[in-house]
Amino acid sequence: MKRKKNQMTMTPRGSKSSAGESWYTLRAKARGVVDLMLCGDIGAWGITANQFARDLKALGDVSQINLHIHSPGGDVFEGMAMYNLLKAHPARIEGFVDGLAASMGSVILMACDTISMPENAMIMVHKPWGIQGGDAEDLRRYADLLDKVEDSLVMAYVAKTGKTADEIHALLKDETWMNGTEAVVAGFADTVIEPIKAAAHINSNRMQEFTNMPEAFKKLWEPRGSTTPPAPAPTPAPAPAPAPAGSVLTPDQIRAQVMLEDTERRTAITAAFGLGGFSVPHAELLNTCLADMNCGVEMAREKLLVALGKDTTPTGGSTPRHPGHVSNGNLVGDSVRASLVSRTGQGEIQKDNAYNYMSLRELARASLQDRGILVATLAPMQMVGMAFTHDTSDFGNILVDIAAASVLQGWEEAEETFHLWTKTGRLSDFKTAKRVGMGEFPSLREVRPGAEYKYITTGDRGETIRLATYGELFSITRQAILNDDLDQLTTIPKRMGEAARGTIGDLVYDTLINNENLSDSKKLFDASRKNLFTGAGSALSIESLSKAKTAMALQKNQTEGGKARTLNIRPGFVLVPVALEDKAKQLIRSASVPGAETNAGIDNPIRNFAEVIAEPRLDDNSSTAWYLAAKKGSDTIEVAYLDGVELPYLEQQNGFTNDGVISKVRIDAGVAPLDSRGLNKSNGA
């Protein structure tokens, strides 16, 4: 098969050089300004985009990057990583084409905010290419990979130029060369500057692969000077070692030898991926390395360390695309969070999130590795422990946030009834507070013309209420992460939320059932208060309900001297044990009274006068006793929360002393009766 030229290689072809040589140079120019020189084959000499990321970070706060490019291109994935790093950087990026921005060099150039280039400098764009061996299926898969790579390059060009994807595809197909003016017209550059006299030499065989290079541009590579220096003696290429006599290989033997070497290469690469458990989560990268006959095991290991989690598909807008869901700029953290939200059922799956369906172990690794932290040499327990404690990782915080959402879900879904009829209050601290009940104020006094208004006397009477703290601990361990135990994030915290709300319910109904003394030393329910009914007549019936309703309406305010005022309190709820639920609903909701003949015309006098609430805690005390409560917001039983926060919240502790994250579920609440006149009780028969 004839090798096609004028295509972009997918692996670096730069020759080995002396130690310290690099295809880029970063240099601080002034305060907040950095010069970035990109010259030569991108990805050559073992210098990776990962190293570039570390070097850029080491410079600290940078407000402007001056990018100078003179490159024939290079490795696609290293180039895309560099493109994304520059696109995501907050600094303003000024681009300059010093001679040539070809192939992958032109893609990196597209990350600049503005691009300036001389008239006689060149930008070149073309289709990616590579070498693949194998059967027909291998070739088809490789062709599909090349198409995906081309699509990623097209989007980078589209984002800068504003051209359509079809227009860019046409330019790539033709291996398009553009000088300064042509690049500005096409949208690949913004400004034309003074022409260059000569371009610096690029020691790369890649220049020989370009077939459409303009002749005028080739002259820029010729040496210039007052005298013509003597031509250096050419270094003869090493002649191939002659085959020993009688050992000439046949075509079949050559083919077998090549296949054997490729099999050994593929086996070594597969083993390198499998050693760290990367074969499944990074299968695409593995297939890419296997497909490239020029990719040895060392290069595969390097790509594994560099390209994990890196995006190769930028967006068409100003915001760079990342392999994951992005909401606030924390690319890795938001992607990990979105993956867990979808796996735990707390939100919808984000189709563009590359972390979807990853296990907790894989997400812990991504929280470190995709932020540039080397974890390949760590044992699984060490790696997960670092994910919890490293200052760069927010893995522990994300887990706690997911657990907190589960706690709130449990709180909201808890089958509780107390909140339907109790009064909600607010306290600012844990001190004992007093509440003034209904009817404590007498009728307003008449103020005669010219007379002064008088102050009302409230007295010292009032019911007390005080906050208390209720909570429990639970942990998210490293073992749970390795086991991918989502119950630690969902079921257990949800049960904690249900327990938190159940605790408040216990306090409310204990107050109702235990019938403790109020501030006047009388029980909450007492015959002298006209809110307690006993005997056979207290059994649930239309008559007993009517009697209790009337007694509540006739309650009077408590005054010292003067005439008491009737409060006319109307019931809002009938609280019954579950054993009486059906009977209570029948009595209250029926249009007629029990025992009356059909169409007798006898209306139910208490029809729909109150809402029925069945509570199983009442059954535990009595299956016959029932209660009336005034409408919600009245002075019945108050549930007060610290600063009005009605939801439980989590506090977390992580670090060296605990094997994961310990979370505390806490709620600060207080429950107390406010007034006896908004409640009455019937013991039943």
Side-chain angles (χ1 to χ4, degrees):
M1 184 180 295
K2 185 179 180 181
R3 175 178 172 180
K4 187 178 178 180
K5 294 186 177 182
N6 71 326
Q7 295 179 316
M8 185 185 302
T9 58
M10 297 182 62
T11 57
R13 296 291 195 275
S15 59
K16 297 293 182 180
S17 184
S18 61
E21 195 164 5
S22 175
W23 48 273
Y24 76 86
T25 304
L26 274 172
R27 183 176 66 248
K29 182 178 180 181
R31 190 177 186 86
V33 181
V34 173
D35 280 345
L36 170 59
M37 313 297 294
L38 199 162
C39 184
D41 285 0
I42 298 166
W45 306 307
I47 308 300
T48 66
N50 194 29
Q51 180 62 51
F52 168 75
R54 291 193 295 268
D55 292 345
L56 184 60
K57 184 178 180 180
L59 293 172
D61 293 334
V62 176
S63 60
Q64 180 173 326
I65 299 175
N66 297 324
L67 172 61
H68 294 264
I69 292 184
H70 187 43
S71 171
D75 186 277
V76 169
F77 298 106
E78 295 293 343
M80 290 307 301
M82 192 171 183
Y83 171 90
N84 289 327
L85 287 168
L86 293 173
K87 197 70 173 172
H89 201 281
R92 177 175 177 81
I93 304 177
E94 302 283 349
F96 302 90
V97 182
D98 289 347
L100 173 65
S103 190
M104 206 59 217
S106 68
V107 177
I108 296 175
L109 185 66
M110 298 299 103
C112 298
D113 296 299
T114 61
I115 299 173
S116 303
M117 60 183 295
E119 168 63 28
N120 57 346
M122 286 286 175
I123 292 177
M124 189 274 284
V125 297
H126 66 176
K127 297 173 69 70
W129 75 277
I131 301 175
Q132 169 66 22
D135 57 23
E137 292 298 324
D138 291 332
L139 296 177
R140 290 189 187 93
R141 285 193 294 268
Y142 195 64
D144 292 338
L145 178 60
L146 287 175
D147 289 339
K148 292 180 180 179
V149 171
E150 182 173 347
D151 289 340
S152 70
L153 308 182
V154 167
M155 294 307 297
Y157 294 129
V158 168
K160 175 62 180 176
T161 65
K163 292 181 177 295
T164 65
D166 291 340
E167 291 174 324
I168 298 297
H169 279 294
L171 295 175
L172 299 185
K173 182 179 179 181
D174 295 337
E175 187 187 295
T176 302
W177 292 77
M178 294 168 283
N179 59 27
T181 301
E182 293 168 339
V184 171
V185 172
F188 288 84
D190 300 291
T191 306
V192 178
I193 57 179
E194 291 295 324
I196 58 176
K197 296 181 179 180
H201 180 62
I202 297 179
N203 184 22
S204 173
N205 294 329
R206 195 179 307 277
M207 300 298 296
Q208 303 173 8
E209 300 174 354
F210 304 147
T211 60
N212 294 342
M213 184 186 299
E215 291 296 326
F217 185 72
K218 292 180 181 179
K219 295 180 179 180
L220 291 173
W221 303 83
E222 298 176 356
R224 306 297 176 93
S226 57
T227 60
T228 303
T235 303
S247 63
V248 178
L249 300 178
T250 66
D252 290 340
Q253 290 175 325
I254 295 174
R255 188 180 302 108
Q257 183 176 342
V258 171
M259 293 182 64
L260 178 61
E261 293 175 353
D262 190 58
T263 300
E264 293 175 349
R265 180 189 66 84
R266 295 168 68 95
T267 301
I269 292 174
T270 302
F273 273 71
L275 185 62
F278 304 117
S279 302
V280 175
H282 304 290
E284 186 175 351
L285 177 60
L286 172 59
N287 292 333
T288 302
C289 294
L290 294 175
D292 186 358
M293 296 184 66
N294 295 287
C295 180
V297 64
E298 294 299 327
M299 184 181 296
R301 290 195 183 103
E302 182 177 334
K303 286 183 175 291
L304 179 61
L305 294 176
V306 174
L308 286 175
K310 290 200 180 299
D311 184 21
T312 60
T313 308
T315 62
S318 59
T319 303
R321 181 170 178 176
H322 181 268
H325 177 62
V326 182
S327 65
N328 62 8
N330 184 0
L331 304 179
V332 176
D334 283 352
S335 299
V336 171
R337 187 185 305 275
S339 174
L340 282 174
V341 166
S342 63
R343 285 196 67 200
T344 57
Q346 298 176 3
E348 297 181 356
I349 188 171
Q350 304 291 337
K351 295 182 179 180
D352 61 342
N353 190 356
Y355 297 155
N356 285 337
Y357 310 113
M358 282 190 178
S359 67
L360 294 174
R361 176 177 176 176
E362 292 168 338
L363 292 175
R365 182 181 297 277
S367 297
L368 297 168
Q369 191 166 256
D370 293 355
R371 289 185 169 96
I373 303 168
L374 181 62
V375 297
T377 60
L378 299 179
M381 288 290 284
Q382 292 176 305
M383 181 271 295
V384 175
M386 182 180 288
F388 280 121
T389 59
H390 200 282
D391 56 3
T392 303
S393 172
D394 55 359
F395 184 66
N397 293 330
I398 293 173
L399 295 184
V400 172
D401 289 345
I402 299 297
S406 298
V407 170
L408 296 181
Q409 183 183 5
W411 171 274
E412 295 293 338
E413 296 180 0
E415 297 291 343
E416 293 293 335
T417 61
F418 70 89
H419 62 285
L420 299 175
W421 62 274
T422 55
K423 183 177 183 178
T424 302
R426 175 190 180 104
L427 291 173
S428 59
D429 51 41
F430 289 84
K431 298 178 182 178
T432 300
K434 282 190 176 184
R435 300 297 202 220
V436 178
M438 65 180 73
E440 294 297 330
F441 301 102
S443 301
L444 298 181
R445 291 170 290 195
E446 180 184 2
V447 181
R448 299 184 179 277
E452 294 182 352
Y453 289 85
K454 297 181 180 180
Y455 289 96
I456 192 170
T457 301
T458 60
D460 296 330
R461 184 184 177 278
E463 305 306 325
T464 59
I465 186 170
R466 182 173 62 87
L467 294 176
T469 300
Y470 307 89
E472 295 287 348
L473 298 176
F474 73 95
S475 63
I476 304 172
T477 64
R478 287 187 288 176
Q479 290 83 354
I481 302 304
L482 293 176
N483 295 334
D484 198 32
D485 186 2
L486 289 180
D487 281 349
Q488 298 274 1
L489 302 177
T490 56
T491 303
I492 295 175
K494 184 178 180 180
R495 297 290 182 264
M496 298 285 284
E498 294 173 350
R501 196 161 199 174
T503 300
I504 308 301
D506 291 341
L507 295 173
V508 169
Y509 287 103
D510 283 348
T511 300
L512 196 69
I513 293 171
N514 293 336
N515 197 22
E516 299 177 354
N517 289 341
L518 299 186
S519 60
D520 59 0
S521 301
K522 292 183 181 180
K523 298 289 186 181
L524 172 63
F525 301 107
D526 191 279
S528 64
R529 299 186 187 275
K530 300 180 181 180
N531 70 346
L532 177 63
F533 306 94
T534 59
S538 64
L540 186 65
S541 65
I542 289 180
E543 291 76 15
S544 61
L545 287 167
S546 180
K547 182 180 179 181
K549 176 173 73 73
T550 301
M552 182 176 288
L554 296 178
Q555 290 284 359
K556 300 182 181 299
N557 68 336
Q558 300 171 355
T559 60
E560 296 180 3
K563 183 180 179 181
R565 176 168 55 87
T566 302
L567 297 176
N568 193 24
I569 305 170
R570 296 294 177 174
F573 305 94
V574 181
L575 311 178
V576 299
V578 177
L580 294 178
E581 179 180 10
D582 294 341
K583 183 177 181 179
K585 290 181 177 179
Q586 184 180 34
L587 291 174
I588 294 174
R589 296 177 181 179
S590 296
S592 60
V593 299
E597 296 181 359
T598 305
N599 299 324
I602 303 176
D603 294 332
N604 184 359
I606 62 168
R607 183 182 182 187
N608 297 328
F609 85 102
E611 179 183 349
V612 177
I613 296 178
E615 173 53 54
R617 293 182 180 88
L618 300 180
D619 292 80
D620 297 337
N621 179 66
S622 173
S623 61
T624 60
W626 53 275
Y627 304 80
L628 283 189
K631 65 181 181 180
K632 185 174 177 61
S634 301
D635 293 336
T636 53
I637 291 178
E638 179 181 3
V639 180
Y641 300 93
L642 180 62
D643 294 328
V645 179
E646 301 180 28
L647 300 174
Y649 60 94
L650 265 68
E651 295 179 339
Q652 75 172 51
Q653 176 188 5
N654 54 35
F656 182 78
T657 58
N658 52 275
D659 212 21
V661 177
I662 297 177
S663 297
K664 179 194 300 178
V665 179
R666 188 175 77 179
I667 189 167
D668 301 306
V671 176
L674 293 180
D675 202 296
S676 62
R677 290 163 292 182
L679 295 166
N680 61 42
K681 176 182 179 180
S682 296
N683 286 333

